[in-house]
């Protein structure tokens, strides 16, 4: 990279590998974004071309109107022509002593078709929802693609979510079939996922459960309902005609945390999602046939969907699917994986980078990581310190750092400076992708000046992969994303600013979303989970800064009875873990007599956070119960 003042620009080597090299692409795309997206869409295979590329009135927009396609024909069939025996997936197990697996494009094609045929026999039809509760094993990709092959709508549930979290999602989606696993390995231990899945099935419409064999653990079995994956695919044909999908047919639902405890099902559709996943992965990571791409995100999150499944397959790339944790069995495991496979593009989260940084550079001495060419970051703001460390110690000053900004709702990356163009600035995500109009506006919708913080919004035509709805909840869809600016702009909920160079920096959220080790949660959903503990009368959760995880939740709970508080903290932790999962475990739980409130009864979470971090509290005179603060202070920091 070449440094000019505070900015970095690509050098000749970075430019050489880039698809987009000239900044003129931005002006071209800005002139007519729809035409620009059309031109990239033409690189893919469609059964029928669109009659109009963009239509509708926000919030109800359409891309590639009238077009017909099947994403799996682009992920699989198309690659058989020139990449039949190329490795699609390199699967690296949790236990480094176990054998890795590789799956070629042809093998993947056959497995997907077999499972697609088997799903049909189980009664799955176009438009039906299929729940997928699987860890990072190749079958999760196979299951997603098999659904897409027959036009079923998949809804992947993160395998570390609890059975209750699974249940709410399956119920909301109305899933008919669930695909799960007997058990899986995480840091050397087996998680009994089938047992958890069974608990989550109660009260759902799931009729059949397909179980993949991975850990070989003993599992509960319901004869009339459960089938082994290997039994139902055995003997199936490895050809399955791809369902012809309309560009705006639902493709998948991915649940993301909602403020009240009920998750929102972000709905993505076939055509727009395919185009964004393809183009973003190609332009941002500059994928070519020589690349080994490793995105560390779990498939249960949107990053996993787009960059550990669809994006690389649409580009015919070889990608790594890692079952384990980057620091298990040793803190250098991630660097070992990079060297073992010659990873060229590495995409991870700031929480992982902070952990690598904390482990020090000595452990990296045995590794060259010389194959790396592009580095990415996603999920939360990356600090200058972490950016610089990543740039120097991992990228050796050679690789561009792509701080990619996007959301479950946008389906694919929509902002980051491009590796062949730049510029890059520590802690800044940079420029919107060509063809995407990201603006920072004030409450009235007026554009903010450079350096002025405001709401990060999208102007029309938004992006092809923007969510088309919240599954079965139109009200939530309009309230959450569109009402703020009267359906004119898409409201991301993020706060940020553009610097004098026009580079975007996202600084945080306008709502109660927190990011715990990169995982998206809301303090609201933690509060409603905590309130399930029998002794809790009231609860407030705040996110506080954590050196490694970015943020961690801290809970303040008021008991129903001051004399019945035994075991209350443990009960609150248990309620949160069983409602959401271990990732939501509060860092601390404080039992307090009252919560600070305004006269209108609003809980002042800001004050709670400051009490915890021992910051200056400021004016408390607007509180209805200022005395509560003194008492909370004593509980949090006892003398
Ligand atoms: O607040 C932003 C933050 O993560 C949110 C989206 O989370 P999720 O839907 O789980 O998707 C994560 C993967 C895209 C955003 O609203 N966020 C994501 N990337 C960044 C970020 N904040 C700052 N910088 C980023 N690069």
């Amino acid at each position: 990279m070449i440094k000019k003042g505070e900015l970095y620009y690509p050098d000749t080597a970075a430019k050489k590998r880039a698809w987009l090299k000239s900044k003129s692409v931005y002006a071209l795309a800005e002139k007519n974004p729809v035409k620009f997206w059309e031109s990239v869409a033409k690189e893919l295979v469609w059964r029928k071309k669109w009659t109009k590329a963009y239509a509708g009135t926000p919030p109800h927009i359409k891309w590639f109107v009238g077009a017909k396609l099947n994403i799996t024909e682009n992920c699989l069939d198309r690659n058989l022509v020139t990449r039949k025996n190329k490795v699609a997936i390199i699967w690296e197990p949790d236990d480094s002593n176990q054998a890795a697996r590789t799956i070629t494009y042809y093998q993947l094609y056959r497995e997907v078709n077999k499972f697609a045929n088997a799903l049909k026999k189980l009664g799955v039809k176009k438009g039906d929802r299929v729940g997928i509760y699987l860890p990072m094993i190749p079958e999760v990709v196979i299951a997603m693609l098999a659904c897409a092959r027959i036009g079923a709508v998949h809804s992947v549930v993160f395998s570390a979510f609890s059975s209750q979290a699974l249940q709410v999602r399956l119920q909301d989606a109305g899933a008919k079939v669930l695909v799960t696993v007997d058990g899986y390995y995480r840091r050397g231990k087996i998680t009994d996922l089938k047992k958890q899945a069974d608990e989550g099935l109660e009260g759902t419409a799931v009729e059949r459960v397909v179980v993949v064999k991975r850990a070989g653990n003993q599992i509960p079995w319901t004869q009339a309902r459960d089938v082994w994956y290997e039994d139902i695919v055995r003997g199936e044909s490895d050809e399955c005609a791809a369902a012809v999908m309309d560009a705006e047919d639902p493709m998948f639902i991915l649940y993301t945390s909602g403020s009240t405890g009920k998750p929102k099902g972000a709905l993505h559709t076939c055509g727009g999602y395919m185009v964004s996943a393809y183009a973003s992965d190609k332009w941002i990571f500059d994928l070519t046939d020589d690349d080994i791409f490793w995105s560390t995100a779990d498939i249960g999150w949107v990053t996993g969907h787009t960059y550990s499944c669809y994006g690389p397959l649409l580009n015919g790339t070889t990608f790594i699917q890692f079952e384990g944790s980057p620091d298990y069995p040793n803190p250098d495991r991630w660097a070992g994986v990079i060297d073992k496979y010659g990873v060229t593009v590495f995409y991870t989260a700031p929480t992982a980078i902070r952990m690598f940084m904390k482990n020090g550079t000595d452990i990296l001495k045995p590794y060259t990581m010389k194959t790396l060419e592009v580095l990415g970051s996603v999920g939360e703001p990356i600090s200058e310190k972490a950016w610089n460390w990543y740039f120097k110690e991992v990228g050796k000053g050679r690789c561009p750092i792509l701080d990619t900004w996007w959301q479950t709702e946008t389906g694919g990356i929509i902002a980051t400076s491009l590796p062949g163009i730049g510029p890059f600035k520590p802690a800044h995500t940079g420029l919107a992708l060509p063809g995407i109009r990201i603006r920072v506006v004030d409450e009235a919708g007026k554009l903010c000046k450079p350096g002025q913080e405001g709401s990060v919004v999208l102007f029309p035509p938004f992006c092809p992969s923007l969510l088309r709805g919240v599954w079965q909840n139109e009200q939530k869809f309009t309230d959450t994303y569109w009402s703020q600016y009267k359906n004119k702009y898409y409201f991301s909920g993020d706060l940020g600013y553009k610097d004098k160079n026009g580079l975007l920096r996202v600084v945080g959220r306008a709502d109660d979303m927190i990011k715990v080790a990169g995982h998206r949660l809301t303090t609201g959903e933690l509060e409603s989970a905590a309130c399930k503990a029998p002794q809790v009368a009231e609860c407030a959760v705040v996110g506080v800064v954590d050196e490694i995880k970015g943020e961690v939740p801290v809970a303040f709970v008021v008991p129903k009875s001051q004399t019945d508080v035994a075991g209350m903290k443990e009960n609150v932790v248990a309620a949160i873990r069983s409602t959401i999962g271990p990732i939501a475990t509060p860092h601390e739980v404080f039992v307090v007599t009252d919560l600070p409130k305004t006269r209108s009864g609003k809980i002042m979470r800001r004050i709670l956070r400051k009490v915890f971090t021992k910051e200056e509290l400021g004016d408390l005179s607007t509180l209805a119960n200022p005395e509560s603060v003194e008492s909370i202070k004593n509980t949090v920091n006892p003398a």
Side-chain angles (χ1 to χ4, degrees), residues 303 378-381 403-408 494 509 515 520:
T303 313
V378 61
E380 46 172 322
D403 174 12
T404 64
W405 176 78
W406 59 300
Q407 313 176 291
T408 305
D494 279 359
R509 290 288 302 178
K515 278 299 183 84
R520 176 167 164 178

Side-chain angles (χ1 to χ4, degrees), residues 256 301-303 347 350 377-382 403-410 415 429 492-494 505-509 513 515 518-520:
T256 182
W301 303 94
V302 74
T303 313
Y347 188 33
S377 170
V378 61
E380 46 172 322
I382 175 167
D403 174 12
T404 64
W405 176 78
W406 59 300
Q407 313 176 291
T408 305
E409 291 85 345
T410 67
T429 191
S492 72
D494 279 359
R505 179 174 198 174
V506 175
V507 294
R509 290 288 302 178
M513 183 202 291
K515 278 299 183 84
H519 300 132
R520 176 167 164 178

Side-chain angles (χ1 to χ4, degrees), residues 292 334 338 342-346 368-375 394-395 398-399:
I292 305 284
W334 62 279
I338 291 174
V343 171
T344 55
V345 182
F346 182 57
T368 68
M369 295 192 274
K370 65 179 181 202
T371 51
L372 287 174
E373 293 177 6
V374 175
L375 298 175
V394 184
R398 194 181 66 235
C399 307

